Amino acid sequence: MLKPQSNAVRELVSLDGIWNFALAQSTDIEAESPWERQIPARLQVPVPASYNDIFVDRKIRDHVGWVFYQRQVTVPRLWSGQRYFLRFDAATHQGRVYIDDKFLVEHIGGYTPFEADITDLVNPGQQFRLTVAVNNELTWHTIPPGRVEVLENGDRKQHYQHDFFNYAGLARSVWLYTVPKTFISRISVNTREAEEGQTGILDYEVETSQVIDGLGFRVSVLDEDETLVAQSCSQRGSLEITSVHLWQPGAAYLYQFRAEITSKDSGEALDICDVLVGVRTVKVTGNQFLINDKPFYFTGFGKHEDTPVRGKGHDPAYMVHDFQLMKWMGANSFRTSHYPYAEEVLEYADRHGIVVIDETAAVGLNLAIVAGVLGLKAVPTFSPDTMNDKTQEAHAQGIRELVARDKNHPSVVMWAIANEPSSSEEGVREYMEPLVALTRELDPTRPLCFANENQANAAADFISDLFDVLCLNRYYGWYINTGNLEAAEPGLEKDLRSWQSKYDKPIIMSEYGADTMAGLHAVGDVPWSEEYQTRILEMSHRVFDRIDNVVGEHVWNFADFQTPATFIFRVDGNKKGVFTRDRRPKSAVQSLRKRWTEPKGLKNGRYQNVFSS
Ligand code: BDP
């Protein structure tokens, strides 16, 4: 899905700001129909932001079910003759939109965009009441999954298996935008290098809202000096760029790919749509991950979209600051754990040469872990009563929407289709195999992975052969061998070697780390101290350097983040960040920075890190 844009023929109006807000009084929102009237301004919320931490009322923070956002919107009179759309960058986890009294569109899935054409519903110059109902409920048929319990007093309680707070609402921007009557509706660009190098090839396809008989069409590619380097009049084909500037990790180069519908007579542009593309290749060969045919070593983090007050609300200041901190430390990459991030994050990564592993919201497909933590009898994860065909279809839809939104981003080098699914349980292969096939069909150019959890070790796991890269989440020294690094080090090494000898695929350590209370210092291996976090990371690095197939390390986590209140083993959230939630460094940052910017490179000089100079 194309990101809306403003240019000579398209207009874009932000609907961000302060909206009126109300909680649903029941689960039957049709009976309430709040879209039929003005929601009073007694409660107001900012958009974009999760609503949970904005108020002081626990009933709002922990509300389960629907909430309503409302504001007035006017379609400019000058938009006559155009088509106009409402676009929501995300409504977490389900959104229903109403224009005055009328239902417009529904979308399920909390981290991907949706839109609807409202041209035939609202006239130019007309004001309308825009109401968005947003539901945060997670069930066995949503991605991520969860379960709502009705308590004795009738209150409803949301349970879920993932370790981050279920922030909800309109956490990303809302837009009103125009396109001409006949418009460009989809652009897909894949890039590669010609055999002899030096020449870049763009395989592209442009769809229009209707067949453009009687109109002209052109695509042009401009380099960063705005020089035209390739052009064509066909809606699909391949373009060649000679003396190409490759998109490289740490040294981004972006070409502007412009599609235009033109007037046959004058050649004037009737619609214009731009996407920025980078020419680069990604390949897995043997035990290597290659970007532009060069072995790449991932340094960086699993992250979260999580900041104080805003929850998961997209915030450009935090975004840029996080990227600055990562670059300063020599982090060349990150994983969008555990859901697709705001598209602005990918655009920034494209622009600055940061490599991204792009993950779906399929986290918590694992009833064994929770049962283990709470000492309960495990319920089967994959069964008609738990994760079933409907869950799989929601997951497939999540994959379709993720690939549709992000496939033109050069920063995205791999899809992670799930985090810690119960991959040693009966039924997992039947569940995952079709999803792997679907992802490969949607995008044959990028490798696939999922993040594997410790219980599904190399002997027990049923699905790793389906994937290109082994991403392992391991907590030696923390959940395993707590406080005992002498035992943790050989334990981690044995674990990694077992994967290496079984599959001989590239291995990325997609999570490792330790909860750490900023300011707690201790001599010796004392869990929660800053020193212990550093020592766990350093122990892990010694092991990675000894294992050939390890091609990357993503520390869990970049920053501390909020978790559900029911997790009493968390103190105001997960503290595995190397930065606090307000981005102050813990001492591990210095040790990581030293390793990742070491001039001699990683793995005894085998990999030069792009930020080490
Ligand atoms: C892993 C999960 C991650 C958690 C982390 C932890 O993938 O979401 O936050 O463990 O326990 O299992 O800190």
Side-chain angles (χ1 to χ4, degrees):
M1 181 181 280
L2 286 165
K3 196 159 180 273
Q5 50 192 268
S6 97
N7 58 36
V9 293
R10 292 179 172 216
E11 282 193 63
L12 178 61
V13 171
S14 164
L15 299 182
D16 291 354
I18 300 294
W19 294 46
N20 291 359
F21 181 79
L23 299 190
Q25 298 307 307
S26 70
T27 48
D28 185 358
I29 61 167
E30 290 302 322
E32 272 179 59
S33 300
W35 45 87
E36 289 176 359
R37 45 193 183 273
Q38 300 276 358
I39 292 176
R42 196 175 64 78
L43 293 179
Q44 294 194 303
V45 275
V47 173
S50 305
Y51 62 76
N52 309 77
D53 289 349
I54 300 292
F55 302 97
V56 289
D57 187 347
R58 188 196 72 81
K59 285 219 154 73
I60 301 179
R61 187 170 200 267
D62 296 337
H63 175 72
V64 179
W66 293 94
V67 299
F68 306 110
Y69 285 73
Q70 194 181 71
R71 62 165 283 165
Q72 299 293 321
V73 178
T74 307
V75 173
R77 202 185 301 148
L78 292 172
W79 285 8
S80 154
Q82 310 284 308
R83 298 212 73 83
Y84 28 92
F85 284 74
L86 273 172
R87 146 104 177 197
F88 300 84
D89 285 352
T92 317
H93 297 281
Q94 175 182 7
R96 279 190 201 160
V97 182
Y98 302 82
I99 294 213
D100 293 326
D101 296 355
K102 274 203 214 75
F103 170 76
L104 174 71
V105 67
E106 175 175 52
H107 180 261
I108 297 174
Y111 304 99
T112 40
F114 62 101
E115 60 183 18
D117 186 340
I118 61 164
T119 320
D120 300 330
L121 298 173
V122 190
N123 292 324
Q126 194 183 322
Q127 189 181 63
F128 65 93
R129 191 171 58 246
L130 171 60
T131 310
V132 189
V134 185
N135 189 343
N136 64 355
E137 284 171 64
L138 299 173
T139 71
W140 292 145
H141 304 146
T142 58
I143 291 294
R147 174 176 65 87
V148 176
E149 180 191 8
V150 181
L151 304 177
E152 265 174 25
N153 65 2
D155 281 0
R156 287 163 3 110
K157 189 173 166 188
Q158 178 73 65
H159 298 268
Y160 45 96
Q161 297 77 251
H162 53 266
D163 181 33
F164 56 94
F165 190 86
N166 187 32
Y167 282 115
L170 298 178
R172 297 182 191 159
S173 290
V174 181
W175 308 96
L176 180 65
Y177 74 95
T178 67
V179 289
K181 278 250 156 66
T182 305
F183 62 96
I184 291 152
S185 52
R186 201 178 69 88
I187 297 179
S188 162
V189 184
N190 283 320
T191 64
R192 60 195 160 95
E193 269 175 279
E195 289 297 313
E196 66 280 11
Q198 308 283 307
T199 299
I201 301 182
L202 269 58
D203 301 313
Y204 71 94
E205 196 174 331
V206 178
E207 273 173 26
T208 47
S209 56
Q210 60 204 70
V211 181
I212 50 167
D213 275 348
L215 295 172
F217 180 83
R218 83 181 151 240
V219 293
S220 336
V221 182
L222 303 180
D223 68 12
E224 288 189 355
D225 299 322
E226 296 185 18
T227 306
L228 182 69
V229 292
Q231 201 164 34
S232 162
C233 291
S234 161
Q235 277 185 247
R236 54 190 58 75
S238 299
L239 293 167
E240 284 197 1
I241 306 176
T242 47
S243 311
V244 68
H245 294 272
L246 295 179
W247 185 96
Q248 304 271 22
Y253 192 97
L254 296 175
Y255 289 92
Q256 186 184 47
F257 179 92
R258 167 166 289 198
E260 290 168 293
I261 300 173
T262 58
S263 149
K264 264 226 158 105
D265 312 327
S266 63
E268 186 201 3
L270 304 175
D271 190 22
I272 303 174
C273 195
D274 294 327
V275 294
L276 292 174
V277 299
V279 181
R280 57 112 187 86
T281 58
V282 176
K283 224 183 312 168
V284 169
T285 307
N287 63 4
Q288 297 280 304
F289 193 100
L290 306 178
I291 300 184
N292 298 328
D293 291 320
K294 280 198 226 95
F296 181 72
Y297 193 92
F298 295 75
T299 58
F301 300 96
K303 287 192 90 243
H304 262 300
E305 291 190 311
D306 175 277
T307 57
V309 186
R310 309 154 191 77
K312 297 208 170 305
H314 174 67
D315 183 301
Y318 266 99
M319 178 189 78
V320 175
H321 188 55
D322 283 5
F323 275 104
Q324 289 302 318
L325 293 175
M326 285 196 289
K327 184 174 174 191
W328 169 68
M329 292 178 71
N332 59 24
S333 57
F334 66 96
R335 175 169 62 122
T336 72
S337 38
H338 294 310
Y339 36 82
Y341 290 2
E343 203 174 346
E344 289 84 344
V345 177
L346 299 177
E347 288 176 334
Y348 193 94
D350 288 347
R351 180 70 280 167
H352 296 273
I354 303 294
V355 168
V356 178
I357 300 176
D358 206 359
E359 187 158 284
T360 68
V363 52
L365 290 114
N366 195 329
L367 300 181
I369 303 183
V370 176
V373 170
L374 302 176
L376 305 170
K377 189 170 170 294
V379 175
T381 302
F382 305 97
S383 80
D385 299 330
T386 51
M387 314 308 157
N388 57 26
D389 294 354
K390 286 192 179 154
T391 324
Q392 193 191 37
E393 180 40 40
H395 195 159
Q397 186 56 19
I399 292 172
R400 284 184 207 107
E401 293 186 21
L402 175 69
V403 175
R405 192 195 71 166
D406 292 350
K407 69 178 169 2
N408 291 334
H409 289 287
S411 57
V412 175
V413 299
M414 178 154 67
W415 306 111
I417 68 168
N419 182 69
E420 300 191 345
S422 197
S423 61
S424 54
E425 251 188 82
E426 224 31 43
V428 67
R429 199 167 173 100
E430 291 76 0
Y431 179 95
M432 279 292 186
E433 208 166 2
L435 298 176
V436 170
L438 171 72
T439 319
R440 293 205 190 279
E441 183 191 318
L442 294 168
D443 180 9
T445 73
R446 288 179 176 90
L448 299 191
C449 69
F450 77 99
N452 164 287
E453 190 264 334
N454 176 61
Q455 288 182 26
N457 58 39
D461 171 273
F462 289 133
I463 57 171
S464 286
D465 60 307
L466 302 172
F467 294 84
D468 307 298
V469 175
L470 304 169
C471 285
L472 305 178
N473 296 353
R474 292 294 183 273
Y475 288 94
Y476 284 88
W478 188 254
Y479 295 123
I480 309 169
N481 309 126
T482 316
N484 183 353
L485 295 178
E486 283 71 30
E489 186 159 345
L492 173 60
E493 180 155 357
K494 188 165 169 232
D495 193 342
L496 292 182
R497 287 199 188 282
S498 68
W499 288 95
Q500 174 168 281
S501 60
K502 182 156 183 192
Y503 293 104
D504 199 20
K505 294 185 181 190
I507 298 172
I508 296 175
M509 190 57 97
S510 40
E511 290 185 23
Y512 64 111
D515 277 283
T516 305
M517 213 52 216
L520 179 69
H521 292 281
V523 179
D525 289 338
V526 179
W528 291 92
S529 67
E530 294 200 23
E531 285 77 5
Y532 190 63
Q533 182 181 41
T534 305
R535 286 182 31 92
I536 281 201
L537 300 182
E538 289 175 349
M539 173 282 287
S540 305
H541 298 153
R542 283 196 296 277
V543 176
F544 302 163
D545 289 350
R546 293 197 290 266
I547 311 272
D548 264 5
N549 288 36
V550 172
V551 298
E553 50 196 60
H554 279 176
V555 175
W556 190 255
N557 188 286
F558 173 75
D560 295 345
F561 58 90
Q562 197 48 268
T563 54
T566 48
F567 285 14
I568 50 154
F569 47 93
R570 301 269 181 252
V571 183
D572 187 30
N574 186 309
K575 295 276 190 282
K576 294 194 186 69
V578 299
F579 291 94
T580 59
R581 204 179 186 209
D582 60 356
R583 276 51 176 173
R584 287 162 195 262
K586 300 178 190 172
S587 43
V589 163
Q590 292 306 338
S591 158
L592 285 170
R593 182 165 182 245
K594 184 162 182 298
R595 173 171 168 86
W596 291 346
T597 59
E598 177 66 67
K600 85 169 190 319
L602 288 145
K603 288 211 149 174
N604 305 315
R606 227 167 94 196
Y607 298 92
Q608 201 53 41
N609 196 346
V610 290
F611 292 124
S612 56
S613 55

